[in-house]
Amino acid sequence: MATQWCPYIGKNSWPELLGTNGDYAASVIKGENSSLQVNVILVGTPVTPDLRCERVRVWVDESRLVVKTPTAG
C-alpha cells in the first residue's frame, strides 16, 4: 500500500467501495473517519501529485461509479 507512511489514520484503503456510487463511497469513508478530506473526482481530471495522509480521492467514471480503490494519500 502506498500509505504505509501514514499509519496514524487507521483504515487507509476501501476496496469494498469499487463499483459503488462515488457520493455514497465518500459518505462511507467520511462516516468511518470524519477527519479525512474526501474528494470525488472524475477519472482524467488533473490533480496535484503530492501525498497527504488526510486526503482520500474517490475516482469515478462518467456514471459516477468508483473505478479505483479509494486510498488515503
Side-chain angles (χ1 to χ4, degrees):
M1 279 189 192
T3 56
Q4 292 202 3
W5 54 276
C6 298
Y8 64 88
I9 64 167
K11 184 175 180 179
N12 59 19
S13 179
W14 292 264
E16 69 275 13
L17 296 175
L18 274 173
T20 64
N21 176 274
D23 298 310
Y24 167 76
S27 69
V28 168
I29 295 166
K30 213 44 178 158
E32 290 183 10
N33 187 340
S34 62
S35 67
L36 292 173
Q37 175 191 15
V38 184
N39 304 102
V40 179
I41 304 172
L42 182 64
V43 169
T45 302
V47 295
T48 59
D50 60 323
L51 296 175
R52 303 174 92 187
C53 292
E54 71 281 355
R55 178 180 60 209
V56 178
R57 291 179 173 147
V58 179
W59 293 97
V60 297
D61 63 11
E62 298 80 20
S63 300
R64 301 216 32 101
L65 297 179
V66 179
V67 293
K68 294 183 182 180
T69 298
T71 305

